[in-house]
Amino acid sequence: MRIINRRPSRLPALALGLVPFIATLLVYAVASHYRRLENPADKLLPSLDSMGQAFWRMAAVPDRRSGDLLLWVDTFDSLWRLGSGMAVSTLLALVLGISIGFIPHIRSALAPYIATFSLIPPITILPILFITFGLGEVSKIALIVIGTAPIMVRSTAQAVLDIPREMIIKAETLGASVWQMVTRLVLPQVLPKLITALRLGLVPAWIFLISAEAIASTTGLGYRIFLVRRYLAMDVILPYVVWITLLAFLLDRLLLLLSRRAFRWNHLGSDAL
């Protein structure tokens, strides 16, 4: 049997998936050890032990000035901003995407505009958002929406256009109204694709969130990373980067699990990534 037709069982697949992570950890540990042998005060590659202590301090030791557990305050604020922005983007993708994909007049009016708007680098709009909305939460959430909604709208509209025309004709033949076709035909077909668009949209959303927090914020994961960089506190920065990666991974897996549970038919015979 050729290797492309061989599938590892559950336990070997898990082991293979862990190998790159363990290898990265070992390479870092070795590099950190030899770098600190040359300079014990080196801050660029802190030891795993010092990073663990720093992470524990941020997560479990109250801050002297505020009394807060900084890691959890930063995590809550960042996730709230991320969730608010992605919720707005998802709603826009659902409403505008279906409208553009299903109604030709709306497609003619909005599709070129959305396509053009999606090409604007969102980071360039950040100063405008700060001037317009101030340095509060609105500007940060707006940046996430501007950076993710247009792409999600286009993806959703394309999913509507991909629905076989025969299904729509059959629904019209049976006397279904436009609203009935949207709710009973289009929506069930589009929702799995919308979850996929949401998963893909989380990647740039994290980038825009961290960028906005780094520039103008007093809490958040991005704010903390850029605050401690002036002290070369890599023992805090690296654990925060790993923590952000873990949060992003968990959000992605939860959305995938939701899609698999709610739309089993969409995952039959395929290995979803």
Side-chain angles (χ1 to χ4, degrees):
M1 182 181 294
R2 294 180 179 178
I3 192 171
I4 60 172
N5 297 318
R6 296 178 182 176
R7 291 179 177 270
S9 58
R10 189 179 187 87
L11 190 58
L14 178 61
L16 288 171
L18 290 175
V19 167
F21 294 98
I22 296 174
T24 301
L25 196 63
L26 289 175
V27 169
Y28 178 87
V30 171
S32 174
H33 173 71
Y34 282 103
R35 189 175 181 90
R36 286 181 294 107
L37 281 179
E38 297 179 1
N39 179 15
D42 180 73
K43 293 184 177 182
L44 184 60
L45 295 179
S47 66
L48 297 177
D49 180 63
S50 64
M51 288 194 294
Q53 292 177 6
F55 187 81
W56 174 259
R57 185 174 65 252
M58 302 296 289
V61 179
D63 181 61
R64 292 181 180 179
R65 289 189 296 178
S66 63
D68 296 328
L69 300 177
L70 295 180
L71 176 69
W72 305 114
V73 172
D74 292 336
T75 301
F76 176 82
D77 289 347
S78 290
L79 288 180
W80 185 86
R81 293 163 185 151
L82 183 75
S84 299
M86 294 309 294
V88 175
S89 293
T90 302
L91 181 61
L92 290 174
L94 192 62
V95 175
L96 294 180
I98 291 178
S99 300
I100 292 171
F102 200 58
I103 303 176
H105 284 81
I106 296 181
R107 181 161 61 250
S108 298
L110 293 182
Y113 176 79
I114 297 294
T116 303
F117 193 82
S118 67
L119 300 177
I120 300 175
I123 295 297
T124 62
I125 303 179
L126 188 55
I128 300 175
L129 296 176
F130 283 151
I131 294 172
T132 305
F133 299 113
L135 302 179
E137 302 299 321
V138 175
S139 58
K140 302 177 185 66
I141 295 172
L143 178 65
I144 295 174
V145 173
I146 292 172
T148 58
I151 301 299
M152 292 176 64
V153 169
R154 295 180 67 184
S155 177
T156 305
Q158 186 59 52
V160 176
L161 291 171
D162 289 339
I163 296 175
R165 184 63 185 172
E166 293 79 5
M167 297 179 66
I168 298 175
I169 293 174
K170 288 178 181 179
E172 290 178 320
T173 303
L174 293 173
S177 64
V178 173
W179 177 250
Q180 287 175 323
M181 285 189 285
V182 168
T183 55
R184 299 185 184 183
L185 173 61
V186 175
L187 200 57
Q189 296 284 333
V190 165
L191 285 179
K193 304 298 189 299
L194 181 61
I195 294 179
T196 301
L198 178 57
R199 291 175 61 199
L200 295 175
L202 280 173
V203 177
W206 275 106
I207 298 174
F208 302 138
L209 172 67
I210 300 302
S211 301
E213 289 180 341
I215 295 173
S217 186
T218 56
T219 58
L221 298 170
Y223 161 77
R224 194 67 54 190
I225 289 175
F226 280 81
L227 176 68
V228 301
R229 84 188 190 284
R230 67 187 68 174
Y231 310 112
L232 299 178
M234 294 295 288
D235 57 338
V236 175
I237 294 174
L238 290 176
Y240 258 65
V241 171
V242 174
W243 179 246
I244 292 172
T245 305
L246 178 61
L247 291 174
F249 176 80
L250 290 176
L251 288 174
D252 180 78
R253 294 298 98 177
L254 286 174
L255 288 171
L256 177 59
L257 180 61
L258 172 63
S259 180
R260 283 176 170 172
R261 292 290 178 86
F263 310 103
R264 294 180 183 272
W265 54 268
N266 192 56
H267 297 276
L268 295 176
S270 63
D271 294 328
L273 296 176

